[in-house]
Amino acid sequence: MILTTLCFTSLFSCTKLNEEPVSILDPKQYFKTEADAEASVMGIYGLLANADFYGRRLTMVLQLLGDDIDIADIGTQSSRIQLNSFTHDASNQDLLAVWKTAYLGIGAANAAIDGIPAVTMNEAKKSALIAEARLLRALYYYHLVQLFGDIPYIGEFVSDPSKVIAISKTPAAKVYDNIIADCEYAIVNLPDTYANNNKARPSKGAAQTLLASVYMVLKKWDDAAKMAEAVINDANKYQYALVKDYNSLWDADLGFQTEHVWVVDFLGNYRRKCIQPRLYSADDRCAGRRYVGMERYCTIKWCI
């Protein structure tokens, strides 16, 4: 009996299954309804809040490469020590994780950007969703180009991975041009505010603020000032205002605050209903608190 079983097992285990995939997830196949369009944009945020991006690794990489934090435990993993001492290379696991997650987010954004136009829905809302996806794409590239310089720029959904295996780098200047174009589209098409003062989705003011930051990176001071002044002048329209107590700005339990420009909601509350999430600011004064519950809250905040 045992011998017979082994023979049959061997026989079937050697059978070759040459199955061809019927299809892959493609924007042309997925996008049918307004709910599909909204879901595609919401899916981009999951990668933004991923532990390999704002959840932990991106903020850690940026701070280790800057002056915000330092290595206290010399026994920590080597990739962190490399970043802190500027001895890292392309094999650094923290950088690789950020790179991979950013391009996953860009891929999700491209799927939404390419697929939403085919959906029958209110045109203004359609344009706003596309603008939201384009601003998210701009944010991913904003970090990549500053960290790595010349990088592959992928501006459309990739349905055939073989076509990008040998993709070449795009000059950083061109990447910045594309980022600016995405921001400008978002400024035109995003709403001024969302229901319940939801800061987890980008408004027109958030797009202007990101663009101001891009111009500052490029040392285009006049353009940066113009964008920043536009945000300041329209602060009431965007429901922006300085908080009364500066220390409260970093209190995660207070939820959305008037000084927040754009927030990453780690609890995913806004995807279901607009309630106050727990927040985290990447400011160095919050670094200690962050490691207690780093997966839960994060704030993108630009000071103007």
Side-chain angles (χ1 to χ4, degrees), residues 11-27:
L11 176 63
F12 286 110
S13 65
C14 292
T15 302
K16 294 184 178 180
L17 299 176
N18 296 319
E19 295 188 34
E20 295 293 331
V22 177
S23 66
I24 63 173
L25 182 61
D26 187 279

Side-chain angles (χ1 to χ4, degrees), residues 108-178:
N110 285 337
I113 294 164
D114 290 358
I116 292 175
V119 177
T120 300
M121 58 184 292
N122 177 275
E123 289 299 319
K125 187 171 184 180
K126 178 189 292 187
S127 296
L129 287 173
I130 294 172
E132 195 170 353
R134 289 187 65 167
L135 194 66
L136 284 162
R137 179 174 67 182
L139 182 63
Y140 284 115
Y141 276 122
Y142 169 83
H143 286 300
L144 284 176
V145 73
Q146 289 186 80
L147 280 170
F148 302 104
D150 296 349
I151 54 174
Y153 186 89
I154 302 173
E156 60 184 16
F157 180 75
V158 178
S159 58
D160 183 0
S162 66
K163 293 182 178 180
V164 295
I165 290 178
I167 189 171
S168 59
K169 292 181 180 181
T170 302
K174 180 60 178 176
V175 176
Y176 277 114
D177 287 343
N178 292 328

